[in-house]
Amino acid sequence: MPADQPTVLVVEDEAAQREVLRYNLEAEGFRVAAAGNGEEALMMMDEESPDVIVLDWMLPNLSGIEVCRQIKTRPETRGVPVIMLSARSEEVDRIRGLETGADDYVVKPYSLRELMARVRAQLRRARPAAAGLRLEYEDIVLDAETHRVTRDGQELKLGPTEFRLLSTFMEKPGRVWSREQLLDRVWGRDIYVDTRTVDVHIGRLRKALGVHGGGDPLRTVRGAGYALG
């Protein structure tokens, strides 16, 4: 499983439907985390750091609408796209879901092919590098499809770990990433790596970015982590 494989959090209380979604998302190349209720989903937000959330409206106890509201209220999660699933097809319900913060609204019963396409569309917005798109920040250009990086028009030589680090930073310029978050995103959750390893690879990335001159675009935030810009 690639360390930077995009993660989809599926929140669905019906076990059979949850497994159908898991199977199809995994077949599309996503890593899938699943929750059976709203409380579990909110706890998993921190543990899994999903890139896209597929959220059923009708959940026991804490409704999907309330889960969506809480996700969109928190600064650290408000940027995660939410696709709301619901049997409610009335216009007033669709409007309510979207006004609560859902980025897309899909009425049940739905086409699995269409839902997968909608997940990919949200991923292109949330994780453009994972979708193979071109990223730019000031004079740095990263082409995720060809795995090429240039700065001020000159090609840079990056190792695979440094490439994934730079992709992570360029997807969200200005965001401060903790060492633990970078370990999860770049190395993967199933591999034990000391947090000091992050510092070593940040040093290598800084060296590679400055090989042809230019200032250091990476920022060290004392006690918090690293950011681009």
Side-chain angles (χ1 to χ4, degrees):
M1 178 183 297
D4 56 352
Q5 185 178 25
T7 298
V8 178
L9 174 59
V10 173
V11 189
E12 168 65 69
D13 62 316
E14 294 183 17
Q17 186 62 29
R18 192 165 62 241
E19 289 309 308
V20 167
L21 289 171
R22 180 196 293 276
Y23 175 84
N24 282 273
L25 286 163
E26 288 179 345
E28 290 286 327
F30 295 106
R31 176 182 175 274
V32 179
N37 57 64
E39 294 88 344
E40 185 182 5
L42 292 174
M43 286 191 297
M44 294 181 75
M45 285 298 299
D46 295 325
E47 297 172 4
E48 302 293 342
S49 299
D51 300 297
V52 180
I53 302 165
V54 177
L55 175 64
D56 187 37
W57 179 321
M58 297 299 290
L59 297 172
N61 300 322
L62 198 65
S63 72
I65 283 287
E66 178 58 21
V67 172
C68 183
R69 188 193 67 77
Q70 292 194 33
I71 288 170
K72 295 299 183 176
T73 299
R74 296 170 56 190
E76 61 270 30
T77 59
R78 65 165 59 116
V80 181
V82 174
I83 300 175
M84 182 80 72
L85 305 180
S86 177
R88 298 168 180 256
S89 59
E90 296 296 324
E91 181 183 42
V92 64
D93 296 314
R94 295 197 300 272
I95 291 172
R96 183 183 173 195
L98 294 169
E99 288 186 342
T100 303
D103 299 88
D104 200 354
Y105 190 98
V106 178
V107 176
K108 296 180 177 182
Y110 48 78
S111 157
L112 281 167
R113 288 183 61 188
E114 180 183 352
L115 180 59
M116 297 302 111
R118 289 174 182 265
V119 170
R120 289 193 298 271
Q122 293 299 331
L123 179 69
R124 284 194 293 273
R125 182 171 68 83
R127 290 278 311 276
L133 302 182
R134 173 185 168 110
L135 304 179
E136 297 186 22
Y137 176 80
E138 295 184 349
D139 60 349
I140 304 170
V141 178
L142 181 150
D143 190 315
E145 188 170 14
T146 62
H147 273 240
R148 293 181 70 244
V149 178
T150 60
R151 185 170 191 186
D152 197 23
Q154 295 181 288
E155 188 163 357
L156 304 179
K157 300 297 183 183
L158 270 63
T161 300
E162 287 70 44
F163 184 89
R164 290 196 298 269
L165 275 171
L166 184 60
S167 298
T168 299
F169 286 127
M170 290 185 69
E171 284 177 341
K172 298 184 186 298
R175 170 177 170 169
V176 178
W177 294 84
S178 71
R179 290 170 176 82
E180 291 76 13
Q181 288 171 329
L182 289 172
L183 283 174
D184 284 348
R185 174 62 66 90
V186 175
W187 280 266
R189 295 173 178 81
D190 302 326
I191 300 174
Y192 174 76
V193 180
D194 191 281
T195 54
R196 288 173 293 185
T197 303
V198 176
D199 301 330
V200 171
H201 285 277
I202 289 289
R204 291 177 183 171
L205 177 57
R206 280 178 158 144
K207 183 177 180 180
L209 291 172
V211 70
H212 298 302
D216 181 5
L218 298 178
R219 178 166 51 96
T220 302
V221 183
R222 187 178 297 276
Y226 298 98
L228 177 65

